[in-house]
Amino acid sequence: MFLTREEEGMLAGREGRATEKAMQILVALGKIYDAKRLVKVSSVQVSGVSYKNLGDAGLEFLDELADDGRARVRTTLNPAGMSLTDWEAQGIDRKFADKQLSVIDAYRRLGVEISCTCTPYLAGNEPRFGQHVAWGESSAVAYANSVIGARTNREGGPSALAASLTGRTPLYGLHLTKNRVPTFAVDVDALLASPEDFSAMGYFTGKLVKDGIPIFRGVRRANLEELKTLSAALASSGGVAMFHIEGLTPEYDLGGEMVESVLFAQNDLEETRASLNDEGTPDFVAVGCPHCSLTEVAELAELLDGRKVRREFWVCCSREVKRQSDNAGYSALIEGSGAKFATDTCMVVAPVEELGFRVVATNSAKACHYLRNAGLRVRFMPLEECVAEATRSP
Ligand code: F3S
């Protein structure tokens, strides 16, 4: 793989040990994927933040890098395993909290913005069409490639961090136009009336497409919240890093030879929704996977105004959206009902199973997928039903 003189210097350790290590990771990746060279990136989103997933080995790795490593491009952070300020109210134990705060401290020393959100594009890190980035949160990756038209592979924690410390990533995969063409057509003949319907369609499609690139045909409109949850669902039941919607997303007309096509009909939508519902009465309601937009927070404020929640209810969103919600007066209405904001974290990366909950109601197919994997039972329902469930008398 071709390296510039500056990149050779990084690899030879002339810019410190962390940069040397980062360059070794990128060169190894480049060789595996036959990249001809590295490409500069304009931003990085780092995943692998929750101590629940990192453990002590991950914390040590970060600490070592933070000795002399510094982010060279804007770098934002995925959610952590707890709220960084209100973790006690969330029921998180001190041992976990101390470890999680050490992880955050290492990222801070590395020059990473402690944004703790999976929707960086709603919190100031929004790339432009055609820009190369290195993002490491699967839902944000699918959103960036598909909705914004930025270019990123699905980075893991170490490769995203390596891109941050060098400002570069190997030029392969979705950084190249030829790899962004649709490979699988989904003909939609179902009524998509809400974000939850898009979430279910993504869940259905991800299972079939795996890591291919689907193009949805017959979808006439989709708003930000629908595209956000579609991105997340496609990337959870499958490994989809990019999708197109005919007539709507910026690169839908790249051409390409479709290898397969499938129909997504009304009964597929209903069966997928049903498949995400287990037995049991929810003892925990959580919305905001991916993190809520301000529009979703406003809708929640309207639904919860003057009502009281009767079971634990988390509204997961970024600090930035929470700040906007405070200013708009939505937070007071939400918190007045007894619901809690879960900023910096979410119902999946927080150790929810250790908090004693058994059945979780949520409006996200992605959250259902991972919560089930963690041994919890799930109920998939639209946002209004989540509120009705949370406020219902026991
Ligand atoms: Fe975000 Fe957590 Fe869902 S990181 S996409 S809210 S699993």
Side-chain angles (χ1 to χ4, degrees):
M1 186 170 67
F2 171 79
L3 295 181
T4 62
R5 192 176 293 175
E6 187 188 0
E7 290 160 359
E8 292 278 13
M10 291 183 193
L11 187 61
R14 286 199 281 278
E15 300 197 25
R17 279 188 40 235
T19 313
E20 178 186 349
K21 214 179 246 184
M23 194 51 90
Q24 285 168 353
I25 292 173
L26 298 183
V27 167
L29 261 179
K31 282 188 180 150
I32 292 169
Y33 291 104
D34 206 19
K36 301 259 178 297
R37 63 180 175 90
L38 300 176
V39 64
K40 289 193 176 176
V41 293
S42 59
S43 78
V44 170
Q45 165 80 2
V46 175
S47 59
V49 183
S50 174
Y51 176 70
K52 173 174 147 181
N53 303 326
L54 280 173
D56 285 330
L59 175 54
E60 270 168 40
F61 175 73
L62 288 174
D63 253 340
E64 217 174 285
L65 285 183
D67 276 347
D68 71 345
R70 292 296 170 270
R72 285 177 194 241
V73 291
R74 183 171 194 181
T75 304
T76 46
L77 205 57
N78 233 29
M82 60 183 202
S83 160
L84 303 185
T85 47
D86 295 328
W87 54 268
E88 273 173 311
Q90 286 180 328
I92 304 289
D93 79 59
R94 177 162 289 281
K95 205 167 147 225
F96 182 91
D98 285 344
K99 294 283 191 183
Q100 184 62 77
L101 292 173
S102 300
V103 169
I104 296 299
D105 182 57
Y107 278 123
R108 193 173 275 124
R109 285 186 284 133
L110 281 160
V112 174
E113 284 176 38
I114 310 304
S115 49
C116 292
T117 181
C118 50
T119 54
Y121 48 88
L122 298 180
N125 182 3
E126 185 175 11
R128 289 195 306 274
F129 178 84
Q131 275 186 330
H132 295 276
V133 298
W135 281 19
E137 150 60 35
S138 64
S139 70
V141 165
Y143 189 94
N145 278 316
S146 319
V147 181
I148 299 174
R151 299 184 167 211
T152 178
N153 287 317
R154 198 165 139 143
E155 302 293 346
S159 64
L161 204 48
S164 170
L165 299 179
T166 60
R168 290 151 168 87
T169 195
L171 185 66
Y172 74 95
L174 292 172
H175 290 284
L176 302 171
T177 305
K178 69 177 168 80
N179 297 325
R180 298 171 69 83
V181 298
T183 57
F184 194 108
V186 182
D187 291 306
V188 180
D189 185 18
L191 182 66
L192 302 174
S194 66
E196 295 70 40
D197 292 340
F198 280 79
S199 193
M201 180 171 76
Y203 201 70
F204 170 90
T205 306
K207 274 189 194 168
L208 298 174
V209 177
K210 303 196 171 55
D211 61 356
I213 301 184
I215 179 164
F216 296 97
R217 303 190 292 211
V219 177
R220 279 185 292 281
R221 46 143 294 282
N223 62 28
L224 184 150
E225 289 69 29
E226 290 161 343
L227 294 167
K228 169 166 80 75
T229 198
L230 173 64
S231 302
L234 282 165
S236 59
S237 60
V240 173
M242 181 165 191
F243 65 88
H244 302 276
I245 302 180
E246 197 172 66
L248 289 185
T249 53
E251 293 173 89
Y252 78 88
D253 57 355
L254 284 177
E257 262 184 42
M258 231 64 74
V259 285
E260 245 180 289
S261 69
V262 70
L263 178 69
F264 179 70
Q266 195 64 30
N267 66 309
D268 297 310
L269 174 60
E270 273 146 31
E271 280 166 23
T272 305
R273 296 179 74 116
S275 75
L276 292 167
N277 274 284
D278 299 322
E279 293 290 308
T281 305
D283 48 14
F284 179 44
V285 182
V287 299
C289 171
H291 274 176
C292 284
S293 66
L294 190 63
T295 304
E296 289 169 308
V297 171
E299 194 181 339
L300 281 165
E302 197 182 331
L303 290 165
L304 286 166
D305 186 9
R307 301 172 84 176
K308 288 280 172 229
V309 300
R310 294 168 189 273
R311 39 193 67 70
E312 185 84 356
F313 189 157
W314 284 12
V315 179
C316 304
C317 69
S318 64
R319 292 167 175 207
E320 174 55 23
V321 166
K322 170 68 167 44
R323 191 188 59 74
Q324 294 170 12
S325 163
D326 292 349
N327 291 342
Y330 302 142
S331 304
L333 296 176
I334 291 172
E335 289 172 331
S337 75
K340 295 174 186 165
F341 277 94
T343 50
D344 309 325
T345 188
C346 78
M347 68 294 264
V348 171
V349 296
V352 165
E353 59 284 6
E354 286 164 29
L355 301 181
F357 302 117
R358 294 288 166 263
V359 185
V360 188
T362 179
N363 59 341
S364 163
K366 173 175 178 176
C368 288
H369 180 85
Y370 286 106
L371 289 166
R372 257 190 191 158
N373 286 352
L376 290 143
R377 279 176 285 152
V378 295
R379 300 286 308 280
F380 176 62
M381 54 185 75
L383 195 68
E384 319 80 78
E385 283 180 37
C386 284
V387 170
E389 189 61 46
T391 52
R392 192 174 48 75
S393 298

